[in-house]
Amino acid sequence: MAKKYSQEFKHQAVQLILEEGKTVAQAAHEPGLHENTLYRWVTEVKKDGDQAFLGSGNLKPEEKSLRDLQKKIRDLEEENEILKKAMHYFAKDRR
């Protein structure tokens, strides 16, 4: 099973590399991390900055916005279908 590290721990490990100039091998050795894990964390921090490592269930603002918009589209499509059915129902009554 994979070990879980806190967001703070990950940021501190990446800070050793980016700000203090340590090599990935040096930064990985003391806490017993695999170098590939640190490379992945560094890449994530470079890409997402402070939004990196939000944790499971937490979304980046742009992902949350996209999810909210997709939900709104689904809701509007559902309302549209209901209105179409109602329109057909009331059109039958007029005949």
Side-chain angles (χ1 to χ4, degrees), residues 11-27:
H11 278 288
Q12 287 174 351
V14 171
Q15 185 178 17
L16 290 174
I17 298 164
L18 297 179
E19 294 177 12
E20 295 182 23
K22 289 193 175 189
T23 66
V24 172
Q26 290 170 331

Side-chain angles (χ1 to χ4, degrees), residues 26-38:
Q26 290 170 331
H29 179 70
E30 187 176 321
L33 297 171
H34 193 279
E35 290 180 26
N36 288 344
T37 301
L38 265 180

Side-chain angles (χ1 to χ4, degrees), residues 5-94:
Y5 299 98
S6 70
Q7 179 183 16
E8 182 181 343
F9 177 84
K10 292 176 182 181
H11 278 288
Q12 287 174 351
V14 171
Q15 185 178 17
L16 290 174
I17 298 164
L18 297 179
E19 294 177 12
E20 295 182 23
K22 289 193 175 189
T23 66
V24 172
Q26 290 170 331
H29 179 70
E30 187 176 321
L33 297 171
H34 193 279
E35 290 180 26
N36 288 344
T37 301
L38 265 180
Y39 278 117
R40 190 175 68 247
W41 292 354
V42 169
T43 301
E44 203 168 328
V45 167
K46 284 181 178 178
K47 179 181 166 220
D48 298 326
D50 290 338
Q51 298 298 319
F53 320 123
L54 291 179
S56 66
N58 298 317
L59 299 174
K60 296 173 187 158
E62 62 271 6
E63 290 173 346
K64 183 181 180 327
S65 176
L66 178 61
R67 189 190 68 194
D68 292 346
L69 289 172
Q70 289 170 333
K71 182 183 181 322
K72 187 168 187 165
I73 289 170
R74 281 192 307 274
D75 291 346
L76 290 171
E77 287 173 341
E78 186 177 323
E79 288 176 19
N80 198 16
E81 287 301 314
I82 291 169
L83 290 172
K84 284 181 184 178
K85 289 177 184 178
M87 183 180 69
H88 289 298
Y89 175 78
F90 289 118
K92 287 181 186 176
D93 282 353
R94 295 182 113 186

